[in-house]
Amino acid sequence: AQSVTQLGSHVSVSEGALVLLRCNYSSSVPPYLFWYVQYPNQGLQLLLKYTSAATLVKGINGFEAEFKKSETSFHLTKPSAHMSDAAEYFCAVSVQGGSEKLVFGKGTKLTVNP
Amino acid sequence: DAGVTQSPTHLIKTRGQHVTLRCSPISGHKSVSWYQQVLGQGPQFIFQYYEKEERGRGNFPDRFSARQFPNYSSELNVNALLLGDSALYLCASSLLNRGQPQHFGDGTRLSIL
């Protein structure tokens, strides 16, 4: 069964510093992977997706993620954090089968300090 | 273009009552999925519907049910509400091809007293 593990429930960085949010997946088949961001009192907004094309995926707001099959990882990065990046981030894997079920990690709350 | 819209935004109910949550997908999207997000957790899959047919169901009791209408909008119904049903209920729509992203609404915040 597919699953996602996000290491670190809370990450704190200074404004302008590198953002690194970790995601490891488990899947018996080539996965489709997604990163979503959730701002307070809002739904989830898609940041980027990996669907077996390029292993380095660029998303919105300057975020990118690299798919590493050997490490079963899909870590999210941004070179320079901005105050507006403070939010909760979720990694998700699409489950193969008749439904397009997403299995989410528990999320990582990102704090950006001035 | 309008995104996924959900109503109501907030709802307060008492134990044992029934609730209906509504969702309108993005125009052109025929697949609608429902997720439950308990505070501090990632969303958990409840149902997926496509062309009015249930295509998937998560590990939720029979108190949870849903349906999809000819215009692809959807309702989630929960009977005999329990305190543990307090959560943010998210609706997502997509094109039904694996790998196509799901687009989420802002959710309905359900509080059970």
Side-chain angles (χ1 to χ4, degrees), chain A residues 74-96:
Chain A
F74 190 57
H75 301 332
L76 182 71
T77 60
K78 182 174 180 178
S80 177
H82 191 273
M83 296 295 289
S84 61
D85 295 326
E88 189 146 25
Y89 292 79
F90 293 94
C91 181
V93 62
S94 177
V95 174
Q96 185 182 41

Side-chain angles (χ1 to χ4, degrees), chain B residues 70-88:
Chain B
N71 65 355
Y72 306 112
S73 67
S74 177
E75 284 182 354
L76 175 70
N77 295 284
V78 187
N79 292 323
L81 289 166
L82 302 173
L83 292 177
D85 295 331
S86 294
L88 180 68

Side-chain angles (χ1 to χ4, degrees), chain B residues 23-60:
Chain B
C23 171
S24 293
I26 291 172
S27 178
H29 286 187
K30 298 181 179 181
S31 172
V32 170
S33 298
W34 288 94
Y35 292 82
Q36 181 195 65
Q37 186 179 20
V38 174
L39 197 63
Q41 299 292 322
Q44 297 287 319
F45 175 77
I46 310 175
F47 285 110
Q48 189 203 21
Y49 276 78
Y50 178 76
E51 292 281 13
K52 298 182 291 181
E53 297 291 326
E54 181 183 305
R55 290 181 60 92
R57 182 186 185 113
N59 188 25
F60 281 82

